[in-house]
Amino acid sequence: MVSSFVKYIYLLYYIEVAYTFHIGEKRIVELNKKGLSKILYMPLLMNCGVPMCTGNLAPIYCFGELISNSWQLGLQDSCPGTKLKFKPHVVMENYNKLIYPIQYSQFELFCRNNFDNVSYLENVVLKDWKREAEFLTKLSDVKQIKLALELHLKWVKLARKFTEDVHNNIELYPVVPVKNPFIVPGGQFQIYFYWDSYWILKG
C-alpha cells in the first residue's frame, strides 16, 4: 500500500528540487503556469539507501522514475492508479517505452492505458452489530445517550471489506487484503490501516 507517508516524502523532495531547473547544462523539467512540470527532460530519482518496500509492485508504487515523474507532472492522485490493467512487469515494460523528453500528454496516456482507479473496498454489515445496543440502556443522561448513539452508528458507516476482485487478482492491487471485515479511520482515509484498525477495535 502506498501510504500517505510515502507521498509526503516525495512531496518534500520535489519541493526541494522543483526550483532548480538545471543540473549543469541539462534541464530537468519545464514548468507550466501552475508550477507543475509539462515536459520531463530527464529522470529525477531519490537516492534511497533502503527501499521503502519490495516485491513486483515496488518499482511502480514505492520508488523509481514512474512515481517520481507522476508527482512532477501533478498526476499523483490518479497515477499510479489503485489497480493495474496488466501484470506489474508488463506495466514497467510499457513505461520503459517512453523516451525523454516525456511530454505531459504522453505520460497521461500511459497512465490511462495501464491503470484503473477503482475502489477496492466495499461496505459491509457487521454480523454482531445491533442498532439497539445494550449499553445504551444503561445511560440516563440525554446528552450522553445522543453522543453514544452517534458513535454507535459510525460502526456501520466505517465497516469495510475487500472486494472479491482484490482477492482474485491480488497481484494487480497495491494492497495486502484480509478476509474479514474491518474498520477504516474515515474522512479521507477510506483505506485499511492495520495500526488504526487495531486501536479502533481496542477502544
Side-chain angles (χ1 to χ4, degrees):
M1 180 181 302
V2 183
S3 68
S4 298
F5 174 74
V6 175
K7 292 185 176 181
Y8 178 67
I9 293 300
Y10 268 98
L11 178 60
L12 288 181
Y13 185 75
Y14 180 56
I15 290 175
E16 179 182 350
V17 301
Y19 297 101
T20 304
F21 302 147
H22 298 80
I23 295 181
E25 296 300 323
K26 294 183 178 180
R27 176 176 288 194
I28 301 175
V29 297
E30 182 177 328
L31 305 184
N32 61 20
K33 292 181 180 180
K34 294 183 179 180
L36 297 173
S37 305
K38 61 179 182 179
I39 301 177
L40 301 175
Y41 289 92
M42 59 186 301
L44 176 63
L45 302 178
M46 296 179 67
N47 184 18
C48 296
V50 180
M52 298 178 189
C53 63
T54 58
N56 294 334
L57 294 173
I60 298 174
Y61 289 96
C62 294
F63 58 83
E65 292 183 29
L66 197 159
I67 193 169
S68 176
N69 288 347
S70 180
W71 269 93
Q72 291 187 80
L73 293 169
L75 294 169
Q76 68 276 5
D77 291 333
S78 59
C79 184
T82 58
K83 180 184 179 182
L84 279 64
K85 290 186 177 181
F86 312 103
K87 292 184 178 181
H89 75 276
V90 175
V91 171
M92 288 307 301
E93 287 174 2
N94 293 338
Y95 172 78
N96 290 329
K97 293 176 183 178
L98 297 176
I99 300 175
Y100 289 93
I102 299 175
Q103 301 280 345
Y104 179 95
S105 57
Q106 290 177 296
F107 192 85
E108 187 181 34
L109 179 61
F110 158 77
C111 292
R112 290 202 309 267
N113 290 340
N114 289 272
F115 298 102
D116 275 327
N117 280 287
V118 298
S119 176
Y120 46 74
L121 299 180
E122 59 187 15
N123 290 358
V124 62
V125 177
L126 300 174
K127 295 180 179 179
D128 58 348
W129 187 87
K130 297 178 181 179
R131 183 179 180 85
E132 303 299 328
E134 183 180 349
F135 77 91
L136 292 174
T137 62
K138 299 179 181 180
L139 301 175
S140 58
D141 185 272
V142 176
K143 291 183 178 179
Q144 290 182 353
I145 294 175
K146 181 180 178 181
L147 175 61
L149 183 58
E150 288 178 356
L151 293 174
H152 184 57
L153 292 174
K154 287 188 181 296
W155 291 110
V156 179
K157 296 180 180 179
L158 299 177
R160 301 285 190 278
K161 69 176 181 178
F162 283 100
T163 64
E164 284 300 315
D165 192 55
V166 174
H167 292 290
N168 295 333
N169 299 283
I170 189 171
E171 64 176 350
L172 302 181
Y173 287 90
V175 293
V176 180
V178 293
K179 295 180 180 180
N180 297 322
F182 51 88
I183 302 298
V184 297
Q188 64 176 319
F189 300 106
Q190 297 294 321
I191 54 177
Y192 180 35
F193 287 109
Y194 301 89
W195 196 237
D196 294 61
S197 295
Y198 173 79
W199 286 112
I200 289 171
L201 292 174
K202 289 290 280 187

